Amino acid sequence: MPDTRQPWTLQQVARFDHQVTGVSVSEDGRIFVNFPRWTEDSAVSVAELNKDGTLRPYPDGQWNAWRNARKDELTPEEHWVCVQSVVADGRGSLWVLDPAAPAQAQLVAGGAKLVRIDLASDKVAQTIAFGEDAAPQGSYLNDVRFSKDGKHAFITDSGVVGAILVVELASGKTVRLLDGHPSTQMKKGLNVKADGKALRRPDGRGVEFSADGIALSDDGEWLYWQAIKGDTLYRIPAAALVGEGVEGKDVGGKVEEFGRNGVSDGLLIPRGTNKMLLSAVEDNAVKLRDLDEGPGGQPRILVQDERLRWPDTFTQGPDGAIYVTTSHIQDSAFFKPDAPAALPTELWRLAPDGDGPACRFGRSPIRPCFSDFPETAVRNSLPLAHAAA
C-alpha cells in the first residue's frame, strides 16, 4: 500500500486572544508577532512573544498606545495604527510595516510607514513614511521582503489597486511599480472558498485582496508574489526593480507568469532551497512547491490539519524551524457577523515527522527543527488588554 503519512506535523507554540497575522523570528531566536486593527481596537499591535507565552508590547507601550477612538489625540507617525507585517532582516533589526488602514478601510493620513527597530537596544532607529504617491487611499500595504544586499525593501499592496513598492532604505525613496498591472490585481471571477463554500460578507462581497504573498529567491535574483484573490504566481528579476524600477521606468514587461499555486496567502522560500511554502487557505494546509520544476511545477501538501484555519504568515528560525500563524479570517466578523470582535488565533511550528527524506527540502536538511520553546502547547495567558497596561 502507498505511504499516505504526512511528512510534517503541527506543534502549537502559542494561542492568542486576538487576531494575529504576522510573525518573524530574529537571528537570535526572538519571536515577534503583530495584531492588525481589523475587527477590534486591539490593545497591542506589535509584541515580542516571551518564552512563557506572555506578550511584551514592542518596542514599548507608547508605540502601542494608538486607539481608533483617540486618533485625533495621537500622532500616527509615532504609533502603530494597523500593523500588518513584522520582518526580522537577519542584520540586527526588526522592520514593522504599518498600512495604517484600520478595518482595511480608510487610511489614516500620515500613518503609513515602514519602521526599523534596533534589536540590541529595542529602540526605533528609522521611520520611512509613505505619502499618497506610494500609499494612496484604498491601499493596504501587506508584506515586505529585503534585497540580498539589504539596501532595498519590496512591499506588496493588497488594496483596491494592487502594486509593488520598492524602497531605498538608506534614503527612504519609494517608487510604486506595477500599479494596476494584471500580475498585482485580483482575478475576476475567482471566488475564495472556506469550508468548501464561497466566502462572502453579509453584503455579498467576497475576499478581495490584491498582491499579497511575497517571497525572494534564496539567491536574491527573483521576487515572487501573488494575489489572494488569485491562483497564479508571478515573478520579476529583482535587478529590474532596483534598477529600471527605481529610475521610474515601466517594468511590466519584465514580469513572468510562473504557473498556478492555487489560492494562497503567505509565501516563503526557506534558506538554502529553491522550494516555496504556500499557505493553502482553502485546504487548511501548507503546501510545498519545487521552483526548479518551472511554471509547470505543482504544489504538494506538506501538512493538512483542520486547525490550520487560514494559515497566514511564515517565518524561519535560525535553527531552520518553520513557523506559521493562523489568522482565522474566515471565522472573523467580516464574514460571520456573530463572531467575537476579538478573534482567538494561533502560532504553530511545523515539525518534521521522522528523520528520513521528508525532513529535508531537496538536499537541504533543516534539522534541528525545534526552538527552545516547550514541546507542549503554550497558551498566551496574558490578555492583550492587560499586556498594554
Side-chain angles (χ1 to χ4, degrees):
M1 294 179 62
D3 187 354
T4 58
R5 292 177 302 171
Q6 293 187 140
W8 290 63
T9 57
L10 287 178
Q11 292 182 340
Q12 185 173 295
V13 176
R15 186 175 186 273
F16 309 107
D17 294 324
H18 301 260
Q19 190 171 27
V20 69
T21 55
V23 61
S24 193
V25 182
S26 67
E27 58 266 38
D28 58 356
R30 296 166 69 184
I31 298 180
F32 300 91
V33 290
N34 71 265
F35 306 89
R37 285 187 169 83
W38 282 359
T39 60
E40 63 163 327
D41 200 2
S42 180
V44 168
S45 293
V46 179
E48 180 173 4
L49 179 63
N50 296 319
K51 293 180 180 179
D52 63 358
T54 59
L55 294 173
R56 170 196 174 195
Y58 197 78
D60 53 39
Q62 185 60 33
W63 269 90
N64 283 272
W66 179 273
R67 299 294 182 273
N68 290 333
R70 297 179 56 207
K71 68 177 183 177
D72 293 337
E73 308 169 26
L74 301 170
T75 52
E77 299 86 354
E78 299 173 323
H79 294 86
W80 306 134
V81 178
C82 180
V83 172
Q84 179 62 23
S85 178
V86 290
V87 178
D89 63 6
R91 294 179 170 88
S93 296
L94 179 76
W95 294 84
V96 179
L97 182 61
D98 186 355
Q104 303 167 22
Q106 183 175 356
L107 190 153
V108 175
K113 55 191 173 290
L114 179 65
V115 178
R116 181 171 68 87
I117 302 172
D118 176 65
L119 290 173
S121 64
D122 294 328
K123 301 293 184 182
V124 170
Q126 181 183 7
T127 299
I128 298 173
F130 300 122
E132 288 194 3
D133 56 336
Q137 281 294 342
S139 71
Y140 192 83
L141 305 182
N142 195 286
D143 207 351
V144 58
R145 295 294 182 268
F146 298 94
S147 60
K148 197 74 170 178
D149 60 10
K151 295 181 179 180
H152 294 86
F154 308 114
I155 298 171
T156 49
D157 185 344
S158 63
V160 175
V161 179
I164 303 290
L165 276 61
V166 181
V167 185
E168 286 185 346
L169 297 178
S171 67
K173 176 184 177 181
T174 302
V175 291
R176 183 178 174 91
L177 302 174
L178 303 175
D179 183 294
H181 188 272
S183 68
T184 59
Q185 306 313 300
M186 293 174 265
K187 183 176 181 178
K188 292 184 178 180
L190 185 147
N191 294 314
V192 177
K193 297 179 180 179
D195 303 317
K197 300 178 180 179
L199 190 57
R200 296 197 178 279
R201 301 187 187 212
D203 63 6
R205 286 179 297 161
V207 174
E208 298 179 355
F209 295 103
S210 300
D212 190 294
I214 186 171
L216 188 69
S217 62
D218 189 58
D219 60 10
E221 296 294 319
W222 294 94
L223 185 75
Y224 295 85
W225 70 90
Q226 76 173 80
I228 290 185
K229 187 182 177 180
D231 56 9
T232 304
L233 182 68
Y234 296 91
R235 72 175 188 175
I236 193 172
L241 295 174
V242 303
E244 300 157 77
V246 169
E247 294 172 0
K249 298 178 181 178
D250 183 7
V251 296
K254 303 285 187 179
V255 174
E256 298 180 8
E257 187 174 311
F258 208 72
R260 299 289 191 270
N261 275 351
V263 175
S264 181
D265 189 337
L267 306 175
L268 178 72
I269 299 175
R271 294 187 300 272
T273 81
N274 198 33
K275 293 176 168 54
M276 177 178 284
L277 290 169
L278 321 169
S279 63
V281 298
E282 293 186 321
D283 302 316
N284 297 334
V286 172
K287 295 183 179 181
L288 181 70
R289 179 176 170 186
D290 188 344
L291 299 176
D292 286 333
E293 295 176 355
Q298 297 296 313
R300 64 178 178 86
I301 292 176
L302 193 67
V303 59
Q304 187 170 35
D305 192 297
E306 62 183 10
R307 295 173 296 173
L308 284 173
R309 300 288 293 174
W310 202 284
D312 196 305
T313 302
F314 294 106
T315 190
Q316 186 173 21
D319 60 356
I322 302 295
Y323 297 79
V324 63
T325 56
T326 39
S327 59
H328 291 247
I329 288 176
Q330 69 269 58
D331 301 319
S332 72
F334 282 152
F335 300 101
K336 295 181 178 179
D338 295 333
L343 188 67
T345 53
E346 301 86 21
L347 173 64
W348 306 91
R349 182 172 48 238
L350 302 184
D353 184 13
D355 298 309
C359 295
R360 299 168 177 264
F361 287 113
R363 294 185 297 275
S364 301
I366 64 165
R367 280 193 176 276
C369 298
F370 307 104
S371 71
D372 54 1
F373 279 79
E375 294 295 330
T376 55
V378 178
R379 173 145 171 60
N380 171 24
S381 58
L382 181 62
L384 291 184
H386 296 166

